[in-house]
């Protein structure tokens, strides 16, 4: 996509638009609206990974702070659908709404993106109620970073887990130390699926890289394993000694 709509002066009423021109990659284009801690961290990481990122915020100081890192940046108010169209945001395959504290702005921007039929919309929510509103609007992915990080850290603090990721359908992926109850025999013989309702998908021996686990894999004391299953099942498994 050509960057023409973004070049030059900004739309009327939204201040000056700061833009760094360049060509877009077809599949790796994303617009991030809101360059606070969440939005800027996400935008910078995507840029580091080689994505073409347009960062937008109403705060010119934030835009200037990140303009040297992002592919493109703009000072603009995306609650205005006209401004959003002038920036060409509706042409992006993915857009992230990183605004959390201003719930009204978050909802208005999400509605504008849905009206533009953006195929992949991510939005930050600061509460479950905020998230529910965004979901009811039709936002494809709602993220509650503070809540999700709190849950994740709670799992790490209270158990033997080294990492924990939970999915929407009550399914989790956990990295944990191998309990003695399944060591010394092949996984098929330990019957972890029938006994604990989990599946061991990866294993890491001290000093070695992770490898895929098979039915013939024998885990030993001190091994780190990756297991999947229903959230409660992996929680129970990770508490075994």
């Amino acid at each position: 996509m050509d960057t023409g709509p973004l070049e030059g002066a900004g739309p009327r009423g939204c201040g000056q638009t700061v833009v760094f021109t360049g060509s877009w990659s077809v599949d790796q284009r994303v617009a991030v609206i809101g360059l606070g801690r969440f939005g800027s961290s996400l935008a910078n990481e995507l840029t580091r990974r080689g994505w073409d990122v347009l960062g937008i915020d109403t705060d010119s100081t934030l835009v200037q702070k990140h303009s040297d890192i992002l592919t493109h940046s703009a000072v603009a108010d995306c609650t205005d659908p006209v401004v959003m169209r002038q920036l060409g945001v509706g042409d992006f395959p993915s857009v992230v709404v990183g605004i959390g504290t201003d719930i009204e702005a978050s909802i208005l921007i999400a509605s504008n993106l849905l009206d533009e039929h953006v195929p992949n919309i991510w939005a930050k929510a600061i509460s479950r109620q905020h998230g529910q509103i965004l979901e009811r609007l039709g936002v494809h992915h709602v993220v509650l970073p503070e809540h999700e990080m709190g849950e994740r850290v709670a799992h790490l603090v209270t158990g033997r887990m080294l990492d924990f990721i939970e999915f929407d359908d009550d399914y989790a992926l956990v990295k944990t130390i191998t309990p003695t109850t399944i060591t010394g025999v092949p996984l098929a013989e330990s019957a972890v699926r029938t006994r604990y309702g989990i599946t061991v998908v990866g294993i890491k021996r001290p000093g070695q890289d992770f490898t895929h686990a098979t039915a013939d894999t024998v885990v030993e004391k001190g091994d780190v394993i990756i297991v999947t299953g229903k959230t409660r099942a992996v929680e129970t498994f990770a508490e075994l000694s």
Side-chain angles (χ1 to χ4, degrees):
M1 183 186 75
D2 189 278
T3 57
L6 299 177
E7 298 176 1
R12 288 181 299 174
C14 69
Q16 181 183 6
T17 302
V18 182
V19 177
F20 292 81
T21 60
S23 60
W24 291 112
S25 163
V26 174
D27 296 321
Q28 293 186 316
R29 294 180 295 119
V30 60
V32 179
I33 303 172
L35 295 177
R37 284 179 298 177
F38 173 78
S40 62
S41 176
L42 173 68
N44 291 337
E45 178 62 18
L46 288 170
T47 303
R48 187 187 69 79
R49 296 187 183 192
W51 281 59
D52 289 319
V53 180
L54 167 62
I56 306 169
D57 202 287
T58 56
D59 187 333
S60 59
T61 302
L62 284 177
V63 172
Q64 187 62 37
K65 178 180 178 181
H66 301 287
S67 61
D68 289 339
I69 300 173
L70 304 179
T71 318
H72 307 261
S73 56
V75 180
D77 182 0
C78 288
T79 61
D80 186 338
V82 175
V83 171
M84 185 174 287
R85 292 190 193 99
Q86 289 178 326
L87 288 172
V89 176
D91 296 328
F92 282 72
S94 297
V95 179
V96 179
V97 183
I99 298 169
T101 52
D102 190 339
I103 295 177
E104 181 180 357
S106 167
I107 293 169
L108 285 172
I109 292 170
S111 297
N112 291 341
L113 293 170
L114 289 164
D115 288 342
E116 291 296 314
H117 304 291
V118 174
N120 197 22
I121 302 171
W122 295 74
K124 173 187 174 180
I126 60 171
S127 67
R128 289 197 179 276
Q129 292 82 1
H130 183 195
Q132 288 171 353
I133 293 171
L134 293 170
E135 289 175 346
R136 288 170 184 168
L137 284 174
V139 171
H140 310 112
H141 310 279
V142 176
V143 181
L144 288 90
E146 288 85 0
H147 176 78
E148 291 168 1
M149 182 55 69
E151 283 191 342
R152 184 180 180 192
V153 173
H155 280 91
L156 304 185
V157 169
T158 58
R160 292 160 49 87
M161 299 182 193
L162 303 176
D163 209 347
F164 174 88
I165 300 174
E166 186 174 26
F167 303 95
D168 290 341
D169 55 354
D170 191 34
Y171 195 81
L173 180 73
V174 166
K175 179 166 73 171
T176 187
I177 301 295
T178 302
T180 56
T181 54
I182 67 167
T183 59
V185 295
L187 288 173
E189 291 185 24
S190 66
V192 290
R193 290 187 183 179
T194 55
R195 291 170 64 190
Y196 305 109
I198 59 94
T199 301
V200 179
V201 296
I203 178 174
K204 185 182 188 303
R205 294 255 153 80
Q208 299 181 22
D209 294 330
F210 268 104
T211 59
H212 293 293
T214 69
D216 297 324
T217 298
V218 178
V219 291
E220 302 293 348
K221 182 179 179 180
D223 289 348
V224 174
I225 55 176
I226 301 294
V227 303
T228 63
K230 290 289 187 179
T231 301
R232 186 55 194 152
V234 296
E235 288 173 340
T236 301
F237 180 79
E239 292 170 0
L240 297 174
S241 59

